[in-house]
């Protein structure tokens, strides 16, 4: 077995969601979830099929994001994994619906941070062991940091 780290491409102003699923209709169901929650979200989805023709299935409403999601899925190359790239939307608004999608098994990350996917490669294929999402902590927040966090959450409309 070989372990690899695969860096994801995340365009400026975008977020990425990486997960696992179990069925070919995942790409269509994820598409319906995103457009059902937000008509203005721009997104691309790529899903790595793990049996049959083992193709990367794609969908989306933004060609660039769809192409980059596909490029990321090709780099991961792990069966039944999916990548969603989105702009003009935050993953927090989609995660519960994605988790409730009957074929979604796991979400590895949802972030705008730099992401590295940790891959195990065997003779059979590849699997995602986990992700490195962003950077390690530099310390513990103080009173000023708490105020800045609270102000930011109110500024973007997530708190009153």
């Amino acid at each position: 077995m070989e372990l690899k780290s695969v860096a994801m491409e995340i365009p400026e102003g975008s977020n990425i969601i990486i997960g696992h699923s179990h069925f070919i209709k995942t790409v269509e169901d994820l598409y319906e979830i995103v457009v059902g929650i937000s008509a203005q979200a721009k997104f691309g989805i790529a899903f790595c099929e793990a049996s049959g023709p083992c193709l990367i299935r794609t969908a989306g409403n933004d060609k660039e994001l769809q192409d980059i999601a596909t490029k990321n899925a090709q780099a991961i190359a792990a069966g039944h994994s999916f990548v969603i790239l989105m702009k003009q939307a935050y993953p927090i608004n989609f995660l519960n619906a994605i988790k409730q999608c009957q074929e979604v098994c796991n979400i590895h990350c949802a972030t705008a941070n730099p992401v590295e996917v940790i891959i195990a490669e065997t003779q059979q294929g590849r699997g995602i062991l986990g992700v490195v999402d962003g950077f390690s902590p530099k310390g513990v927040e103080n009173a000023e940091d708490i105020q800045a966090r609270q102000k930011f959450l109110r500024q973007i409309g997530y708190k009153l």
Side-chain angles (χ1 to χ4, degrees):
M1 177 176 67
E2 185 179 347
L3 296 179
K4 297 181 179 185
S5 171
V6 180
M8 295 290 94
E9 181 178 342
I10 305 172
E12 182 72 30
S14 298
N15 281 269
I16 191 168
I17 301 171
I18 300 171
H20 262 102
S21 162
H22 80 97
F23 193 49
I24 191 174
K25 76 183 190 79
T26 299
V27 71
E28 292 180 27
D29 287 352
L30 293 175
Y31 177 94
E32 291 170 358
I33 287 168
V34 175
V35 297
I37 291 172
S38 174
Q40 75 270 7
K42 302 296 180 204
F43 68 97
I45 302 170
F47 166 71
C48 296
E49 188 176 48
S51 59
C54 293
L55 299 173
I56 295 176
R57 308 293 181 162
T58 66
N61 65 4
D62 183 283
K63 177 77 168 120
E64 178 189 10
L65 292 175
Q66 192 171 332
D67 289 346
I68 297 170
T70 301
K71 181 179 173 184
N72 285 333
Q74 288 172 314
I76 294 170
H80 282 161
S81 61
F82 63 85
V83 175
I84 303 171
L85 281 170
M86 60 176 53
K87 281 186 177 180
Q88 300 174 13
Y90 294 112
I92 193 169
N93 297 312
F94 301 86
L95 286 175
N96 280 339
I98 291 170
K99 290 175 195 175
Q100 292 299 310
C101 182
Q102 62 187 355
E103 62 266 13
V104 170
C105 303
N106 191 27
I107 304 271
H108 294 288
C109 70
T111 188
N113 294 326
V115 173
E116 294 179 8
V117 180
I118 308 304
I119 302 292
E121 186 167 2
T122 69
Q123 289 181 348
Q124 178 178 314
R126 291 174 132 200
I128 298 174
L129 297 182
V131 299
V132 177
D133 178 354
F135 308 100
S136 296
K138 297 175 183 173
V140 178
E141 69 180 353
N142 59 32
E144 185 178 307
D145 298 319
I146 292 169
Q147 286 180 337
R149 171 176 41 89
Q150 292 170 340
K151 181 180 177 184
F152 172 73
L153 291 173
R154 281 150 186 80
Q155 185 178 12
I156 64 172
Y158 279 98
K159 294 289 181 175
L160 294 175

